[in-house]
Amino acid sequence: MVITQTTVTRDVKVAKRRLQQDSRGAIRDVQDALVELITNADDAYQRMLKSERPKICRIEIEVERRRGEPTLVRVRDFAQGLTRDDMDKKIGEVGDRVSGMESGQAVRGTNSRGAKDIQALGTVTFESISTEDGQFHQCTLSAWKLKLPPTETPSAARRKSLGITDGSGTRVTLRVGPRHPIPQHENLLEQLRKLVPLRDILIDPSRELILIDTNQGRRDTLAPPQFDAHERVKRGFDVPGYPDATAKIIIKRATKQFLDEQPRFRLGGILVKSKHAVHESTYFDERLSSDPHAAWFVGRLKCDYIDQLWNEFDEAISADRDPPENNPEPVIDPQRKAGLVREHPFVKALYGEALKLLRPLVEEERKRAESDREKIEDSATRRKLNQLEKLASQFLRDETSSEEELRDQNATDSSSQLREKGYTLNPPFLKLVAGCSARYWLNINTRVFQEVREGDSVQVTRLTRDISVHPNIMELEPHPKMPDVLRAQWNVTGESRTEATGLVAAVGPIRSETTLEVLGDEKERYKHITRLEFSNARYMVKTDGSRKPIKVLCPLNMAPEGGLLTVNVADRKFRLKGETRLVPKAESGVAIAKFGVCSKSEGVIATIKASFGEQVAEAQLMGKDPPGVGIKIKLEDIDLTSQRSQWVGNVLEIAARHPSIRRYLGPKSEEFPGQRHKHFRLLLAEVVADAVVRKALSSFERNGEYDDEVRDWDFYYSQYHRMMSKFLPGAHKLQLPEP
């Protein structure tokens, strides 16, 4: 009997596990959740007709802490409310274009995800009285399951419990478990005032945000941050390459510097805004983000065209069309963590124009500061600082090399997950060619799982026969690089092609699952290569002269015999190393060119272009000093307010005007005689040690070893004190040699 099959075309199904992973990535803590809920409430007011909006659009944030139970976080608005059909569509479906931006409304919502992603912290309940039918509607969302109870007529008791005594409105309640700590009232009040996405809502005179602590009976209105600043630039400009795009920028100089700010709580910098949403606060260039001379400036960059680009890309994807070349990807980070997508050609053009206006102001501040400084160091102090520079350089090189070795071994490990969840199973997803093997590992934080001990057996179970596991039982052993961490390792081999399989690792109370795809051959790994392209969009090139590997890929049918690539770099401070020849790889279905780039110039950014026939590919190169290279330490006549020192690139500036340093230096009229005394020299060793260790830690944060916001202070300070114990004795010995 012959079975006749027909071709089937359908949308790819999305597993619930993928939704859960994405939501955890988007919502890390209660601050993220509150941004989504508050901006959703603000959008609800925006969607109302102006004639129907209340004069003051109130949004209430309520926190009820309960001993031994999840904390309840509620956000309440008094807009038009949601019907049962609204809840079914807007909350029960993911990714539809229902926010209003698709029709040109000035709202923040884009992906129809934010209100749903907050379930990463706990169960979410939506309760609403709608203007459309006057009825009470509710739904609950937990683990990506939607529950919609029947509609009912709102009673007086129901309205009282909702806090919506008349009219319409919506209350969202989030049950937050102990794994996600919530700041105390004063701290939460201050954090909400500083959150970048809420900045415009707070300054809008028609909006009123109120934070309520039900346990203390406190009710505080959120006021926007206040600071003095005078205008330096106010200008409109066209965005190159986008004829219909215009932007307006205002840059002001504040009367104080905004130093050491976390990006999402940044008061300094330039707010980037589209029609209604604030996307980020930025200095447009990573180097300016850590430049204290840029920290004087605040302002805003407004460009409505951002929303148009988002809708244009969204419409193309919805209609299964290729997006245009000048809008090849979402212009806004879908998870709203990075603001605008830096690799997007429009963002490059927009930020490039903005930098032309900001950078001269920063350089002006730098020159003014340098001209105002008095020389403090005498020859003896300079010799001591030279010795400390060498010690710091060697220390940073040693720490960085050991950390990079660890990252290379555990490339996909997440230290934040290891601290907060207590374990990691890696890699979380892998594409494996049939017949090939890959290494997997389970890391367990014994400070979280104290019942798990060295020697306990880990059992690994495969989900299908498409893979094999060797061994499938192994004992936990101490991690060679990470204190308080136990590790188990094993190999997985692809046996037969499958789109989805996985494995489960279990030990004690821990049961963790990871997924993988087994490819039939190497060609499947590169099937997405349809044109000449670099393997990465951006390459960081160390300025110590070492070779940065570069890979260019080309479909085999475009280069069946291979051939020589034409490669050009826009800046001569980068040099090519090796032959730029495409080598055909029949087993992979592509031709691959492997060569290198080196540089000795920090901070240089250039475009690298590769061409073959009519095909052209581009990527970005950035020269970056590795920690420890070119370290300079200067005792400067500056005041950094609460800070004793600051890093400007690899130059450590020590603030001689800080009260704790000034008292030991002595008077300027006597040429700062205190610098020759042992008290000052030992203080100098302490200040330098603290700054060098902080630089080492911040380097690991940028490379993904620690979060931008370290929640586990015990872990952070254990690393801090470990490094201080390593560096400080040598610094003391240099400043005050033993007799």
Side-chain angles (χ1 to χ4, degrees), residues 80-95:
Q80 73 271 46
L82 299 168
T83 65
R84 194 172 194 270
D85 288 343
D86 289 335
M87 290 182 175
D88 193 24
K89 184 172 181 60
K90 294 185 177 182
I91 300 169
E93 298 180 14
V94 178

Side-chain angles (χ1 to χ4, degrees), residues 292-345:
H293 305 294
W296 289 103
F297 295 101
V298 297
R300 61 179 52 225
L301 171 65
K302 191 171 190 300
C303 180
D304 294 352
Y305 196 74
I306 293 168
D307 289 352
Q308 185 175 326
L309 286 172
W310 176 271
N311 281 331
E312 181 184 78
F313 179 85
D314 218 7
E315 288 165 4
I317 297 303
S318 299
D320 290 329
R321 299 194 311 266
D322 289 335
E325 288 187 8
N326 68 349
N327 189 18
E329 59 186 316
V331 68
I332 305 169
D333 174 21
Q335 291 194 330
R336 298 194 181 280
K337 292 292 173 286
L340 299 189
V341 175
R342 291 299 196 277
E343 292 74 21
H344 196 290

Side-chain angles (χ1 to χ4, degrees), residues 492-603:
V492 174
T493 303
E495 300 293 344
S496 57
R497 186 186 182 283
T498 180
E499 291 185 357
T501 182
L503 55 87
V504 177
V507 56
I510 298 171
R511 177 183 170 85
S512 185
E513 182 177 332
T514 185
T515 59
L516 65 153
E517 178 182 355
V518 181
L519 307 175
D521 54 34
E522 277 288 335
K523 289 183 179 179
E524 285 194 62
R525 186 186 299 279
Y526 297 104
K527 63 182 180 182
H528 65 285
I529 302 297
T530 58
R531 58 183 177 83
L532 188 75
E533 62 180 67
F534 284 86
S535 59
N536 295 320
R538 178 182 296 177
Y539 296 91
M540 303 296 291
V541 183
K542 289 183 179 180
T543 57
D544 56 2
S546 60
R547 179 181 182 272
K548 178 70 177 183
I550 307 288
K551 185 189 293 185
V552 180
L553 306 166
C554 183
L556 193 61
N557 60 358
M558 295 182 182
E561 305 298 326
L564 195 64
L565 279 176
T566 300
V567 181
N568 295 301
V569 183
D571 196 308
R572 297 178 65 182
K573 292 176 181 176
F574 292 97
R575 292 185 296 109
L576 298 177
K577 281 191 172 183
E579 188 179 35
T580 59
R581 179 174 295 277
L582 284 168
V583 178
K585 303 287 185 181
E587 71 281 4
S588 302
V590 292
I592 303 176
K594 296 180 179 180
F595 54 95
V597 171
C598 62
S599 177
K600 291 189 177 181
S601 300
E602 201 272 339

Side-chain angles (χ1 to χ4, degrees), residues 230-237 248-253 270 297-301 353-362 364:
H230 64 272
E231 190 175 288
R232 294 297 310 275
V233 171
K234 184 177 183 179
R235 188 175 301 178
F237 60 86
K248 295 179 180 178
I249 190 170
I250 297 175
I251 304 176
K252 298 180 179 181
R253 187 195 189 273
I270 312 300
F297 295 101
V298 297
R300 61 179 52 225
L301 171 65
E353 293 301 300
L355 266 173
K356 292 177 184 178
L357 301 173
L358 176 62
R359 202 185 298 277
L361 301 179
V362 175
E364 182 183 314

Side-chain angles (χ1 to χ4, degrees), residues 20-267:
Q20 291 172 332
Q21 291 170 345
D22 287 350
S23 64
R24 292 190 189 106
I27 304 295
R28 300 165 297 177
D29 51 32
V30 73
Q31 291 89 341
D32 283 344
L34 285 173
V35 165
E36 294 298 338
L37 293 177
I38 293 169
T39 53
N40 282 353
D42 180 67
D43 282 352
Y45 285 120
Q46 280 293 112
R47 283 189 287 267
M48 297 176 73
L49 296 174
K50 287 188 177 180
S51 60
E52 295 177 350
R53 288 181 203 165
K55 188 175 182 180
I56 298 297
C57 300
R58 192 166 77 255
I59 301 171
E60 297 178 346
I61 306 109
E62 196 173 88
V63 179
E64 180 184 340
R65 295 175 172 84
R66 305 186 301 171
R67 187 182 299 276
E69 295 183 45
T71 295
L72 300 183
V73 177
R74 305 182 183 96
V75 174
R76 182 186 297 108
D77 68 65
F78 304 88
Q80 73 271 46
L82 299 168
T83 65
R84 194 172 194 270
D85 288 343
D86 289 335
M87 290 182 175
D88 193 24
K89 184 172 181 60
K90 294 185 177 182
I91 300 169
E93 298 180 14
V94 178
D96 279 351
R97 306 177 69 213
V98 295
S99 69
M101 184 185 285
E102 74 286 350
S103 60
Q105 294 183 23
V107 296
R108 177 180 184 270
T110 54
N111 290 314
S112 183
R113 283 211 52 158
K116 292 173 276 292
D117 280 336
I118 65 172
Q119 67 183 293
L121 304 187
T123 301
V124 192
T125 302
F126 298 81
E127 300 169 285
S128 192
I129 298 174
S130 171
T131 55
E132 186 173 324
D133 57 14
Q135 298 296 296
F136 170 74
H137 311 278
Q138 65 175 314
C139 70
T140 301
L141 197 59
S142 179
W144 290 95
K145 287 185 179 180
L146 180 70
K147 179 181 179 182
L148 273 168
T151 294
E152 62 182 65
T153 300
S155 63
R158 172 70 73 182
R159 282 186 172 276
K160 183 178 180 181
S161 69
L162 283 178
I164 305 172
T165 54
D166 55 32
S168 58
T170 300
R171 183 178 76 173
V172 183
T173 302
L174 173 63
R175 297 168 60 88
V176 183
R179 286 185 56 245
H180 303 283
I182 299 176
Q184 292 302 310
H185 185 81
E186 289 292 345
N187 292 334
L188 184 57
L189 187 70
E190 185 64 17
Q191 289 175 4
L192 291 176
R193 290 178 64 246
K194 291 182 177 180
L195 274 168
V196 170
L198 304 184
R199 198 70 53 77
D200 267 17
I201 300 176
L202 289 174
I203 65 174
D204 187 339
S206 70
R207 299 292 190 266
E208 182 181 43
L209 270 63
I210 299 172
L211 180 63
I212 303 167
D213 187 313
T214 60
N215 301 80
Q216 301 181 49
R218 288 194 57 175
R219 187 181 180 93
D220 292 284
T221 300
L222 272 71
Q226 300 289 334
F227 45 82
D228 294 327
H230 64 272
E231 190 175 288
R232 294 297 310 275
V233 171
K234 184 177 183 179
R235 188 175 301 178
F237 60 86
D238 297 327
V239 182
Y242 296 82
D244 299 328
T246 61
K248 295 179 180 178
I249 190 170
I250 297 175
I251 304 176
K252 298 180 179 181
R253 187 195 189 273
T255 55
K256 67 172 185 177
Q257 288 171 291
F258 297 100
L259 299 166
D260 292 337
E261 293 188 305
Q262 297 171 6
R264 64 173 173 165
F265 298 111
R266 181 178 281 157
L267 295 180

